Amino acid sequence: MQMSDPTFVIAITALVGLSVVVAALLRGWHSWLALKRQELENRRTRGPIEIEGGAGEGAARIEIADLKERIRKLEAIANGVDL
């Protein structure tokens, strides 16, 4: 096999190109992970997320579900449906 063989040159060029793409993707992955770590750290330092009225995120979801149930019952009453 000669160094100037076109197949060999194409293979080496493809390998170098693939290496560049993999290196760029790996760097992007590490940057994304660093961003997510920073977001998690910022969340820890701010404390738990609070919704209006001081309720935590979980309590707010329960409250919203309760309000949706009340609305459903009121709509049923307005439509004349017995519950």
Side-chain angles (χ1 to χ4, degrees):
M1 182 191 302
Q2 295 178 356
M3 292 295 273
S4 62
D5 185 24
T7 306
F8 183 73
V9 172
I10 291 172
I12 294 296
T13 304
L15 186 60
V16 169
L18 182 63
S19 299
V20 169
V21 169
V22 167
L25 289 173
L26 189 59
R27 183 176 174 138
W29 175 252
H30 284 291
S31 297
W32 183 81
L33 285 177
L35 174 67
K36 291 301 172 182
R37 282 190 193 109
Q38 183 180 10
E39 287 177 358
L40 287 172
E41 191 61 37
N42 287 342
R43 224 174 180 187
R44 279 190 210 125
T45 58
R46 283 188 289 155
I49 296 174
E50 290 191 6
I51 310 296
E52 191 175 316
E57 190 174 348
R61 288 184 181 168
I62 292 171
E63 202 170 316
I64 289 172
D66 185 46
L67 289 172
K68 286 181 179 179
E69 180 67 21
R70 288 182 188 179
I71 290 171
R72 188 186 64 77
K73 287 180 180 179
L74 288 173
E75 287 175 343
I77 290 171
N79 291 330
V81 176
D82 279 334
L83 294 177

